[in-house]
Amino acid sequence: MLFKLEHHNLMSQLRKALEYNMGYAEKFAVQLQLDDTQYADIVVNVDDNRLMQVLCNLLSNAIKFSHPNDVVNIVIEPSQDTVRIKVIDHGIGIDSAFAQQIFSKFTQADSSGTRKHAGTGLGLSLAKAMIEKMGGSIGFSSVVGVGTTFFIDIKIVK
């Protein structure tokens, strides 16, 4: 993968990712919510297309695994040198037995032919590779039946 790292306004990127996923969210009767008033001036050094791929993957997964009429929240938490972007759903959660391999290629919690949610099992593996290539990191926390929070940490441009 080729990367072209440039300075980009984070909120602009997040708003675009929400816009790109709005139709998908409507299909699942899920609302997308971003509080972008407080951190409108954060700039990050990223490949905008690759960051968009990661954000869209995290959002579409959160939508897909949410309950109808639920909300997926995007929360921004800047610290001194980095910004944490959280994608929070209140859906089915991730079983702890599966959590260790979640970023592996071709991995899905239910890989049976009758699984409820479609996908190749490559999205999170690619997301991890792309975020790391941009100097960031990715992780998650989850409670079965309560929901999941995926987060990416990216360096802030000073």
Side-chain angles (χ1 to χ4, degrees):
M1 285 185 274
L2 297 175
F3 286 78
K4 185 177 179 184
L5 300 180
E6 299 176 318
H7 294 184
H8 292 279
N9 178 276
L10 179 61
M11 286 305 149
S12 175
Q13 294 293 102
L14 293 173
R15 284 187 210 109
K16 273 196 285 188
L18 289 178
E19 184 181 320
Y20 293 162
N21 282 277
M22 201 62 70
Y24 191 64
E26 288 173 3
K27 177 181 169 185
F28 285 85
V30 171
Q31 292 182 348
L32 301 176
Q33 202 166 63
L34 167 66
D35 179 13
D36 61 354
T37 57
Q38 191 174 2
Y39 304 114
D41 60 345
I42 294 176
V43 175
V44 292
N45 191 40
V46 295
D47 181 306
D48 63 334
N49 290 323
R50 302 298 183 196
L51 179 61
M52 191 60 57
Q53 284 180 272
V54 172
L55 292 171
C56 286
N57 178 265
L58 296 180
L59 284 167
S60 65
N61 282 347
I63 293 164
K64 182 169 48 174
F65 293 106
S66 289
H67 304 293
N69 303 313
D70 210 340
V71 176
V72 170
N73 298 93
I74 296 86
V75 176
I76 311 310
E77 294 179 347
S79 64
Q80 199 167 31
D81 297 337
T82 61
V83 60
R84 176 165 281 187
I85 305 160
K86 293 182 176 181
V87 177
I88 304 166
D89 72 58
H90 310 283
I92 62 174
I94 299 168
D95 187 273
S96 60
F98 176 67
Q100 294 176 350
Q101 59 197 34
I102 197 146
F103 292 109
S104 299
K105 290 181 183 177
F106 306 110
T107 300
Q108 293 183 317
D110 178 3
S111 59
S112 71
T114 60
R115 71 175 186 247
K116 182 178 175 185
H117 305 287
T120 62
L122 282 172
L124 290 174
S125 173
L126 289 171
K128 183 178 189 310
M130 287 187 270
I131 287 297
E132 289 176 352
K133 188 84 169 177
M134 291 184 279
S137 61
I138 187 170
F140 74 100
S141 63
S142 186
V143 177
V144 173
V146 176
T148 302
T149 298
F150 273 90
F151 59 86
I152 56 176
D153 294 332
I154 303 173
K155 291 179 184 171
I156 295 174
V157 175
K158 299 281 181 193

